Amino acid sequence: MSTTITSTTTEHSKTELNEYEQERVPQHKLLGWRHFLGTYSGEHVAGTEFVIGAAFVAWGASTFDILMGLLVGNVMAVLTWALITAPIATQSRLTVYEYLRRIAGPGFNKVYNVVNAVLFCALGGAMITVSASAVRILFNIPAQTHWYPNSGAFIAVALAVGAIVVAIAVLGFKKCAQFATVCSPWLLVVFVTGGMVCLPALSNLGNGEAFTGFGQFTALADQYIWTGQTPDGSPSMTFWQIAAFAWVCNLAMHGSLGDMALLRFAKSPKYGYFSAFGMFFGHYIAWICAGIMGAGAMLLLQTTMSNLDAGGIAYAALGATGIIAVIIAGWTTSNPTIYRAGLAIQSIFPSKSRAYITTIVGIVTAIIACFPFVFTRLLDFVGYMGLLLAPVGAIVVSEHWVFKKIGLTPLWSQYQGNSLNKAALLAWAIGVVFAVSCEQLGILHLFFLFVPTYLLSMVVYILLAKSMGAGDDYRVQQAEYEQSLEREAQRHQQQAKQEHQQQPVHKPAGTLEKVSGAIALACLAAMVLSALKVWGSGADYQAAFDSFKAFVIYPTILYFIAATTWITQRDKS
């Protein structure tokens, strides 16, 4: 009897962890809008927002350029997700790694996936480093502001934090989305309240005047936050540089199609618009609030931005809650990042399970997190990461949308039986060389290279593909390929029938789900009300600020208990 139970449990676990890495996601496995709202909100409201928001302060951006530049850039990012990435993902139902294997062959795919995985591991490592920068405060470990660690204790912390992140990523997209759904509302409230309580510090500690309300925002921002001047007198960041950075900082996920890994589960391409929750919560509100917290932390601690890490800024603004915020924010971003890296490597070793590969990738990522080299140059890293991957996105876009319109055949290289699509390899190489050369020679700023690199890669690939036979007649091969897709669809229909018989009947929300959800919302409201008291404290700012930091840890703890109960009950029904 026990053997039967164990076998059944094992098979069920395998089914849960199977995410169709080498085939189209079947219709019965598609997910609703709530998963994507939670994932994008959680992933892009991250611990690195403390770093990036503070960097704009150091870069000498002006208040107007920040407010309007970020608005324009984030709108462009959302439109790229919604109009390019999501339609291709929902039409193909493939990861970009599998789609690329079919387009460019296994030889190209192996090279690209290794590059992709290394970049995502480094990015995921930076997120873990951010979380560890908060934990290190608990143990009086010095801030890690160099590219290398200078504390054995910090290495131990980074590995411990990494182990938790990897455990969640191994469970797959749905678990990552559940985790993000719980964390994202609280993270947004933390950033907003942190900015709220630090803004009066600029008036009280900076000008020696009582804070009178939001009407002072522009004057305080111009004087203490986005002053339009850099500390060393170097040129300030311009409006268009800010807008371009906001657009390209997630280029690897949207323009380079990395988020096909997530959006292939979407029931509708319109779910790409849910990226707006990540962009405007994380890359607008959170960046602005992080800038306020960074400026406030410098005054509160009487130090400079170069001596502060994400944990130091959050702890100065939010106390113990700030430590939790940076830990959670690092997790919500590193989870899907490691998940993507696992998919990239698993595509090279299809005989190995995604869970096994993700575990190995996670271990490598945790080791990288011990060396904060990406963390210290994060903004440049995401720029270069996007440029390295952008030509590949252009190749996929060309095959998916452009080829049929100009008389070429998608998947032509596969129909020829090639293990390597030389046109794709050359287009990728030419695109990267062009981008790096323009940046190194000072022809174009790093943040402006996306569009010309993308367009050049598309033109080069189309011309090379046509010269190598993409315009030939492949009707026989196309028919065979379509038959294989039909057989796959029939197999998925059989799986759907079997799984439907085993699934419990959907039930309406129960009392526990409703009550726990209401408690979670009340906790968030209590945090905002507590921050509002600091705004109205006048000359008693310091006492009110200290009371806020001491209080918010309690609704935080209660929120996570209630929200976890709510999502557990919700997903049972």
Side-chain angles (χ1 to χ4, degrees):
M1 179 66 73
S2 61
T3 303
T4 303
I5 293 173
T6 303
S7 176
T8 303
T9 303
T10 302
E11 289 301 317
H12 177 71
S13 299
K14 288 181 179 179
T15 301
E16 287 293 312
L17 293 176
N18 176 26
E19 297 199 341
Y20 304 91
E21 295 86 359
Q22 276 80 50
E23 54 187 328
R24 293 165 59 92
V25 174
Q27 189 71 23
H28 69 286
K29 289 295 185 180
L30 301 185
L31 299 173
W33 61 270
R34 293 181 299 185
H35 292 88
F36 299 91
L37 189 155
T39 296
Y40 279 111
S41 299
E43 180 178 2
H44 298 284
V45 182
T48 47
E49 315 320 342
F50 287 103
V51 181
I52 296 173
F56 287 126
V57 177
W59 279 353
S62 71
T63 303
F64 175 84
D65 289 348
I66 279 289
L67 297 179
M68 298 308 298
L70 291 182
L71 177 64
V72 171
N74 284 312
V75 167
M76 293 299 295
V78 171
L79 291 176
T80 308
W81 258 298
L83 301 180
I84 296 178
T85 314
I88 293 177
T90 53
Q91 290 166 21
S92 70
R93 296 296 177 194
L94 299 170
T95 67
V96 68
Y97 316 113
E98 175 59 21
Y99 202 178
L100 192 62
R101 186 188 66 80
R102 300 182 187 196
I103 289 173
F108 181 98
N109 198 45
K110 289 177 181 178
V111 176
Y112 172 76
N113 285 5
V114 169
V115 172
N116 199 297
V118 169
L119 293 172
F120 276 123
C121 283
L123 185 60
M127 306 306 162
I128 294 173
T129 303
V130 168
S131 292
S133 75
V135 179
R136 61 96 188 162
I137 294 174
L138 300 175
F139 301 99
N140 293 319
I141 301 171
Q144 305 296 296
T145 56
H146 302 290
W147 70 267
Y148 55 88
N150 54 24
S151 168
F154 177 81
I155 294 174
V157 166
L159 294 176
V161 171
I164 298 172
V165 170
V166 174
I168 297 172
V170 166
L171 295 176
F173 170 66
K174 189 173 182 180
K175 294 297 182 183
C176 288
Q178 289 174 332
F179 182 75
T181 300
V182 168
C183 297
S184 55
W186 176 81
L187 281 172
L188 177 62
V189 169
V190 163
F191 272 99
V192 170
T193 54
M196 288 174 64
V197 298
C198 282
L199 189 60
L202 305 180
S203 179
N204 284 269
L205 303 181
N207 295 339
E209 300 173 358
F211 181 69
T212 57
F214 192 73
Q216 288 183 274
F217 173 75
T218 303
L220 292 173
D222 288 340
Q223 185 176 1
Y224 290 106
I225 311 173
W226 305 292
T227 62
Q229 297 179 344
T230 57
D232 59 1
S234 58
S236 302
M237 200 174 193
T238 67
F239 170 89
W240 290 112
Q241 287 174 332
I242 293 168
F245 176 78
W247 186 17
V248 306
C249 73
N250 283 116
L251 180 58
M253 283 71 166
H254 53 68
S256 300
L257 306 179
D259 266 1
M260 283 178 63
L262 309 182
L263 290 166
R264 66 195 171 112
F265 289 100
K267 290 182 178 179
S268 167
K270 293 180 181 178
Y271 290 2
Y273 285 106
F274 284 112
S275 60
F277 287 89
M279 293 303 95
F280 286 97
F281 288 166
H283 295 181
Y284 193 82
I285 294 174
W287 281 357
I288 290 170
C289 290
I292 298 171
M293 282 189 275
M298 286 192 292
L299 283 174
L300 289 164
L301 301 176
Q302 294 297 299
T303 187
T304 62
M305 194 66 74
S306 61
N307 294 325
L308 292 171
D309 60 9
I313 293 172
Y315 186 67
L318 297 154
T321 304
I323 295 177
I324 298 174
V326 177
I327 295 170
I328 296 294
W331 287 352
T332 55
T333 302
S334 55
N335 286 337
T337 301
I338 294 173
Y339 172 74
R340 293 186 186 96
L343 286 176
I345 296 298
Q346 200 268 342
S347 181
I348 302 174
F349 303 100
S351 62
K352 301 294 184 180
S353 72
R354 181 197 57 78
Y356 173 80
I357 294 296
T358 303
T359 301
I360 301 300
V361 167
I363 292 171
V364 173
T365 303
I367 294 172
I368 292 174
C370 299
F371 299 87
F373 60 94
V374 176
F375 172 75
T376 57
R377 297 296 301 275
L378 182 63
L379 278 70
D380 289 339
F381 174 80
V382 295
Y384 281 114
M385 179 178 178
L387 290 179
L388 284 172
L389 302 181
V392 177
I395 291 166
V396 175
V397 168
S398 299
E399 289 245 358
H400 189 85
W401 274 330
V402 179
F403 268 33
K404 287 184 179 180
K405 295 179 180 179
I406 59 176
L408 302 182
T409 303
L411 305 183
W412 62 277
S413 185
Q414 176 177 286
Y415 297 153
Q416 286 184 351
N418 299 328
S419 61
L420 175 64
N421 182 337
K422 295 180 181 178
L425 184 62
L426 286 171
W428 185 19
I430 290 170
V432 170
V433 169
F434 167 80
V436 173
S437 298
C438 287
E439 196 275 332
Q440 291 294 314
L441 294 173
I443 298 173
L444 275 176
H445 190 278
L446 176 64
F447 301 157
F448 296 145
L449 284 167
F450 163 46
V451 173
T453 301
Y454 213 80
L455 294 177
L456 174 67
S457 301
M458 289 183 69
V459 171
V460 169
Y461 180 64
I462 290 169
L463 293 175
L464 289 175
K466 186 174 183 179
S467 70
M468 295 182 185
D472 295 348
D473 186 354
Y474 298 101
R475 282 177 290 184
V476 174
Q477 292 90 336
Q478 280 182 300
E480 293 175 352
Y481 179 72
E482 289 171 1
Q483 289 173 4
S484 70
L485 294 181
E486 181 62 28
R487 289 192 297 270
E488 181 182 270
Q490 292 173 356
R491 178 163 49 82
H492 288 163
Q493 289 176 0
Q494 292 297 322
Q495 291 176 354
K497 291 178 182 178
Q498 294 173 0
E499 293 179 22
H500 180 72
Q501 295 172 355
Q502 301 170 359
Q503 288 180 348
V505 179
H506 178 76
K507 299 178 182 179
T511 302
L512 182 57
E513 180 182 348
K514 293 178 181 178
V515 171
S516 58
I519 292 173
L521 290 175
C523 291
L524 299 180
M527 294 173 68
V528 174
L529 290 173
S530 179
L532 285 172
K533 288 183 179 180
V534 179
W535 268 35
S537 60
D540 296 327
Y541 166 74
Q542 191 62 52
F545 178 56
D546 292 338
S547 296
F548 166 81
K549 290 196 293 183
F551 168 76
V552 289
I553 188 66
Y554 299 107
T556 288
I557 294 171
L558 184 57
Y559 169 82
F560 278 104
I561 295 171
T564 302
T565 302
W566 168 77
I567 200 167
T568 302
Q569 294 299 311
R570 186 201 73 176
D571 289 349
K572 281 183 179 179
S573 60

